[in-house]
Amino acid sequence: MALIKKEDFILSISDALQFISYYHSEDFILSMAEAYEKEKSVLAKDAILQILTNSKMSALGHRPICQDTGIVVAFIEVGMDVQWLSDLSIEDMVNEGVKHAYTQKDNPLRPSIVSDPAGKRQNTNDNTPAITHIKVIKGDKVHISISAKGGGSENKAQFTTLNPSDSIVDWVLKVIPEMGAGWCPPGIVGIGIGGTAEKAMLLAKESLMLPIDIHSLVKRGAKNKIEELRIELYNKINSLGIGAQGFGGLTTVLDVKIMDYPCHASSLPIALIPNCAATRHTDFILDGSGPAHFKIPSLNSWPKKAWAPQMEAKRINLDTLDKASIKGWKEGDLLLLSGKLLTARDGAHKKIADLLKKGEALPVGIKLRNKFIYYVGPVDAVRNEVIGPAGPTTGSRMDQFMEMMLAELGIMGTIGKAERGERAVQTIKKYQSVYLSAVGGAAYLVSKAITSSKVVAFSELGMEAMYEFEVRDMPVMVSVDTHGKSIYSEAPSRWKNKSIPINSLK
Ligand code: SF4
């Protein structure tokens, strides 16, 4: 009978979360490197190399892969013969491990969890509570699968109940384009088929804990309907042409994972949850012999080539930029930004809107006219860092504020990730503004372009406070130009049906 000590359990959870905050798993790195090798789209290839370079920098620097360090999801299988030496419940021990991991001094992780979700939405400050699923099984060990799931990809979760004779493939190919690029592809799509509504969602999430193995599956051949579906969906999703970050390209998914379960004869529940460029998960077993240890990926797993700006990227001085100059920018142009910009995301936009509504002045220090707003919630700095990892968050969440920001406050443009809604694109066009995209999942790399940082307003919002950043050669792309032309609506059709199905590769 294994005796599991509280200290070993908590330390293992904490170490696992620190580990996955800066190490991608080897299967993920190799798969992303393969996607880089075969990519033909210049913009997608550049984005993938940013993701890979960022991944290696994080591994070497022990700093988060992404500024969104995720919501913790743990699947725990407890052997019936396990005995616990603990005065805490399993769920409480997981939360202790989360708290310990997210408040580490050497590598603090961004707390992103808010309590009272329908009300005050107050940050819990230590990223607790986790989402813990516990199952009792036969045996005398504890098996733990743990992940730190990014909000951008989690927000794209899908569910429906099909009629038994409906096509699963048709449904998946309908919802994937509708999901846009806010889930930061290339990544993994997890699918749960069968059970009931909640079971299908759980299966989809659990399937994301499995390693990437689509190539070995193709090599040995599908042995059942689920494996056939995986290969078919992998090929068909990639042939949609969405590509890295939605910039158009050959690889949208690195793998499609599916788990299934028997269901009622009258229904076919199906859930789909994507995992992003910051796919972070690991698993370990506790057998009473002490805390878990984690295998560090070999440095040879990453490509030798590191990201550097493309020759054709235009250098832009934000401090002298005028509205006339941005009219010359075209959708798909690569830019390197230098100068000052302001940050704001959901919380700060809401505060500004509330102040304007009440007829009150904005806090001293917010001078928005002719400024670019970067949608970001950075990780706190450590040691000699200017700021911690600081990649873009999803732009469309700020769509409702575009009229206010452009018409009333006179900003020049915005920087985020993924597509904007049609109304926001029309507003951008109306005010001759632009929307620029940085690469989601390249947060540590982007943070190295930030040369100074200070909070200018709403410090009570924590990571959602407004900062003034000074940047040098920050890499972005024009994703909506002053004519309202958007890369996200144009690019997939250019790359549709260009990927080569894997079962026809030599
Ligand atoms: S890669 Fe994108 S979706 Fe994933 S955690 Fe980072 S910002 Fe969120």
Side-chain angles (χ1 to χ4, degrees):
M1 176 178 293
L3 194 66
I4 310 291
K5 292 189 200 135
K6 174 173 89 175
E7 298 71 33
D8 289 346
F9 187 94
I10 293 172
L11 185 62
S12 301
I13 295 283
S14 173
D15 286 353
L17 292 171
Q18 275 286 315
F19 184 86
I20 60 175
S21 77
Y22 45 76
Y23 287 127
H24 273 129
S25 60
E26 212 159 85
D27 56 306
F28 184 88
I29 302 161
L30 293 173
S31 189
M32 191 67 88
E34 190 212 336
Y36 172 72
E37 284 306 324
K38 70 177 187 204
E39 188 55 71
K40 299 269 188 284
S41 149
V42 173
L43 298 177
K45 204 171 174 82
D46 186 78
I48 296 173
L49 194 53
Q50 284 195 43
I51 291 165
L52 282 163
T53 304
N54 179 78
S55 170
K56 191 170 180 183
M57 286 169 65
S58 294
L60 293 171
H62 286 198
R63 294 292 279 141
I65 292 164
C66 192
Q67 79 289 339
D68 179 356
T69 50
I71 181 164
V72 176
V73 181
F75 287 93
I76 304 184
E77 290 180 343
V78 183
M80 287 166 84
D81 298 329
V82 164
Q83 214 189 334
W84 295 92
L85 210 59
S86 173
D87 55 347
L88 297 180
S89 69
I90 295 177
E91 210 167 336
D92 287 346
M93 284 191 287
V94 172
N95 289 335
E96 278 304 306
V98 172
K99 197 183 295 179
H100 193 257
Y102 278 72
T103 54
Q104 290 268 318
K105 289 219 161 37
D106 278 353
N107 181 34
L109 307 178
R110 195 188 82 180
S112 306
I113 307 306
V114 294
S115 62
D116 190 13
K120 290 194 180 118
R121 296 185 64 85
Q122 236 151 23
N123 199 301
T124 62
N125 291 325
D126 55 17
N127 220 52
T128 63
I131 312 297
T132 303
H133 306 285
I134 302 167
K135 194 162 141 190
V136 179
I137 58 165
K138 281 188 191 166
D140 64 351
K141 295 182 178 59
V142 180
H143 180 259
I144 296 146
S145 292
I146 194 158
S147 69
K149 187 72 166 55
S153 56
E154 192 60 15
N155 287 350
K156 301 295 176 182
Q158 307 285 324
F159 172 80
T160 194
T161 303
L162 297 174
N163 290 320
S165 56
D166 288 346
S167 161
I168 289 171
V169 173
D170 286 355
W171 179 76
V172 172
L173 295 178
K174 174 181 150 308
V175 299
I176 293 268
E178 289 168 4
M179 279 159 45
W183 60 283
C184 295
I188 295 116
V189 162
I191 296 176
I193 302 174
T196 48
E198 82 283 7
K199 180 71 179 174
M201 290 305 281
L202 266 181
L203 290 169
K205 181 59 69 66
E206 216 174 339
S207 75
L208 292 173
M209 303 286 186
L210 300 169
I212 296 171
D213 64 352
I214 195 80
H215 290 300
S216 52
L217 169 61
V218 169
K219 210 166 160 192
R220 78 155 157 79
K223 288 190 178 143
N224 53 42
K225 180 68 191 167
I226 291 299
E227 291 183 348
E228 279 173 18
L229 258 180
R230 282 184 58 200
I231 297 171
E232 183 178 358
L233 285 171
Y234 173 89
N235 285 330
K236 289 188 170 165
I237 294 171
N238 282 329
S239 74
L240 292 171
I242 295 165
Q245 303 289 308
F247 296 167
L250 303 180
T251 303
T252 305
V253 284
L254 303 174
D255 201 345
V256 176
K257 312 303 293 189
I258 305 181
M259 288 176 81
D260 70 338
Y261 197 83
C263 67
H264 195 286
S266 68
S267 61
L268 179 54
I270 175 161
L272 183 154
I273 307 180
N275 214 349
C276 56
T279 285
R280 295 163 289 212
H281 62 88
T282 189
D283 66 332
F284 56 93
I285 289 171
L286 295 179
D287 59 5
S289 60
H293 299 284
F294 302 93
K295 192 172 168 271
I296 296 170
S298 157
L299 270 185
N300 295 328
S301 314
W302 284 275
K304 296 261 173 302
K305 188 170 177 187
W307 179 84
Q310 301 270 346
M311 295 284 284
E312 61 267 37
K314 297 178 193 158
R315 288 198 150 75
I316 305 296
N317 184 343
L318 293 170
D319 299 334
T320 56
L321 189 65
D322 55 24
K323 287 214 72 155
S325 311
I326 66 173
K327 282 191 192 154
W329 299 353
K330 298 265 167 319
E331 156 260 335
D333 283 355
L334 293 167
L335 309 178
L336 294 165
L337 305 180
S338 295
K340 290 198 173 75
L341 48 79
L342 291 168
T343 79
R345 43 171 285 162
D346 313 63
H349 278 83
K350 173 83 171 53
K351 286 235 175 200
I352 291 171
D354 287 347
L355 287 170
L356 291 184
K357 209 162 153 191
K358 285 190 268 175
E360 292 176 16
L362 299 185
V364 186
I366 308 188
K367 297 195 174 40
L368 291 163
R369 188 149 300 277
N370 291 333
K371 285 282 186 316
F372 269 79
I373 299 294
Y374 181 26
Y375 303 143
V376 61
V379 177
D380 286 343
V382 293
R383 299 179 284 277
N384 57 355
E385 284 177 354
V386 170
I387 192 81
T393 196
T394 306
S396 59
R397 291 203 314 275
M398 268 51 78
D399 282 0
Q400 58 184 306
F401 303 107
M402 283 309 282
E403 183 77 30
M404 169 187 88
M405 296 300 275
L406 288 165
E408 291 182 54
L409 298 167
I411 64 165
M412 192 176 285
T414 51
I415 308 166
K417 73 171 168 82
E419 67 288 337
R420 310 302 299 255
E422 190 42 40
R423 203 155 151 214
V425 171
Q426 289 314 317
T427 309
I428 290 167
K429 183 178 169 186
K430 179 171 153 196
Y431 294 100
Q432 300 277 284
S433 179
V434 286
Y435 170 57
L436 312 177
S437 290
V439 172
Y444 195 35
L445 176 88
V446 172
S447 74
K448 297 301 172 199
I450 301 166
T451 55
S452 78
S453 153
K454 65 176 182 202
V455 173
V456 290
F458 311 132
S459 57
E460 70 279 10
L461 291 178
M463 61 95 173
E464 296 213 53
M466 283 186 79
Y467 291 75
E468 183 187 78
F469 284 167
E470 181 139 17
V471 295
R472 189 168 57 231
D473 290 344
M474 176 181 170
V476 293
M477 190 195 58
V478 180
S479 41
V480 180
D481 62 23
T482 52
H483 305 286
K485 222 168 162 204
S486 164
I487 187 104
Y488 300 105
S489 40
E490 306 275 330
S493 54
R494 292 175 201 145
W495 290 92
K496 206 174 162 115
N497 296 327
K498 295 230 165 101
S499 68
I500 303 168
I502 47 173
N503 39 4
S504 65
L505 286 175
K506 294 237 169 66

